[in-house]
Amino acid sequence: MTRVRLTSLLLGGLLVLTGRVGAAGLSVDDVVPNFIGLGVGSTTQWHGSQDRMVGAMPGARIKLQGSRFVEWYGPYVGLNLLEDDNGWEAGPLLNVRLGREGVDDPVVAQLPEIGLGLEAGGFVAWHHARLTGIPYRLRLGLMASHAVLGQTEGTQLTPYASLWVPLSEQLFIGSGLGATWASQSFMQQYFGVSPAAAEASGLPSFQADAGFRQIYWWPGVLWRIHPRWMLGAGAYGQYLVGDAADSPIIRERGDRWQWTFGLGLGYLW
């Protein structure tokens, strides 16, 4: 039986609450300053998988003094430490990476399992809210993280952009895009095939090098059904590129297109 793991991709189920997909930069804090909620979603079992799983994740965003805030989205926690009137945000982050264990695919199951790991790093972002004419909220940012504990390895950098537009006082639509660069150690761990792993699985050997591993895009909808409650839905599409897409794990057993779908409910204050 598949070991159902709640991965960061299930934040697609929380995007309606948190304003962030897998820390992808989607922000609606001008609309929802404080919340706690639960999202449910469907995603792939591992990076590049064709097999799917379902799960649920909590999320919260708490406004602190001034423009500071703390965010918790499943395995991700971020803290904005800047007190800035020009839209700048920056601070530390922690992210639990849940790896590749107990998969359904019989060939991939012969590859070395990847267990839990902790990544630490930081982010910097800038947002602009236009309140006249056609209102919108634009956000641009960059996240960086590095493995510090457990089985995860390497460094990742993610530039991102997002845009939210209100259709009414109750209904909001948004979209965003970004890309992720990963170091050689991360790429080899998730997409490489060592000679020993090739002999065990039957896949050809493959050395994965550093580079961009994915580009992504998401659409989202928020519906404020009550002054204290919000519903929403969204999707998160990833397209593997570079050595991630060229890996025999993906070419022979997976799919370079990865999709997450989610729904969520949040309590606001």
Side-chain angles (χ1 to χ4, degrees), residues 47-148:
H47 293 304
S49 174
Q50 295 189 58
D51 299 316
R52 302 191 65 81
M53 66 181 187
V54 297
M57 271 193 176
R61 183 185 188 280
I62 308 297
K63 183 176 175 62
L64 305 176
Q65 182 180 8
S67 57
R68 298 182 180 93
F69 59 84
V70 60
E71 300 171 302
W72 168 42
Y73 311 132
Y76 171 90
V77 177
L79 174 64
N80 174 41
L81 296 176
L82 283 188
E83 180 66 47
D84 184 79
D85 295 330
N86 297 312
W88 287 98
E89 306 167 3
L93 67 86
L94 293 173
N95 184 65
V96 176
R97 189 164 295 278
L98 303 183
R100 185 179 65 208
E101 299 179 279
V103 303
D104 283 349
D105 189 290
V107 173
V108 177
Q110 302 306 310
L111 299 174
E113 289 193 337
I114 306 171
L116 288 173
L118 179 66
E119 299 170 341
F123 70 93
V124 60
W126 174 81
H127 70 265
H128 172 68
R130 176 179 172 178
L131 303 179
T132 60
I134 300 176
Y136 64 82
R137 189 178 195 279
L138 173 69
R139 190 170 192 245
L140 307 173
L142 175 68
M143 298 181 59
S145 63
H146 182 75
V148 293

Side-chain angles (χ1 to χ4, degrees), residues 12 44 58 62 96 123 135 174-175 187 203-204 210 214 222 231 239 260:
T44 53
I62 308 297
V96 176
F123 70 93
S175 186
M187 294 290 286
L203 295 172
Q214 69 169 4
L222 291 165
L231 286 173
Y239 185 68
T260 295

Side-chain angles (χ1 to χ4, degrees), residues 143-194:
M143 298 181 59
S145 63
H146 182 75
V148 293
L149 290 173
Q151 292 190 22
T152 190
E153 297 182 8
T155 300
Q156 297 194 82
L157 300 174
T158 301
Y160 58 81
S162 68
L163 180 69
W164 277 102
V165 177
L167 300 183
S168 70
E169 293 184 357
Q170 289 78 37
L171 188 64
F172 307 83
I173 59 172
S175 186
L177 54 83
T180 303
W181 178 94
S183 66
Q184 192 277 333
S185 55
F186 180 96
M187 294 290 286
Q188 180 63 21
Q189 183 181 35
Y190 281 90
F191 302 107
V193 182
S194 68

Side-chain angles (χ1 to χ4, degrees), residues 11-78:
L11 294 179
L14 292 176
L15 69 86
V16 300
L17 312 176
T18 66
R20 191 179 293 265
V21 179
L26 184 167
S27 183
V28 291
D29 51 272
D30 290 332
V31 179
V32 185
N34 297 287
F35 80 90
I36 186 168
L38 183 70
V40 297
S42 170
T43 191
T44 53
Q45 290 184 7
W46 41 273
H47 293 304
S49 174
Q50 295 189 58
D51 299 316
R52 302 191 65 81
M53 66 181 187
V54 297
M57 271 193 176
R61 183 185 188 280
I62 308 297
K63 183 176 175 62
L64 305 176
Q65 182 180 8
S67 57
R68 298 182 180 93
F69 59 84
V70 60
E71 300 171 302
W72 168 42
Y73 311 132
Y76 171 90
V77 177

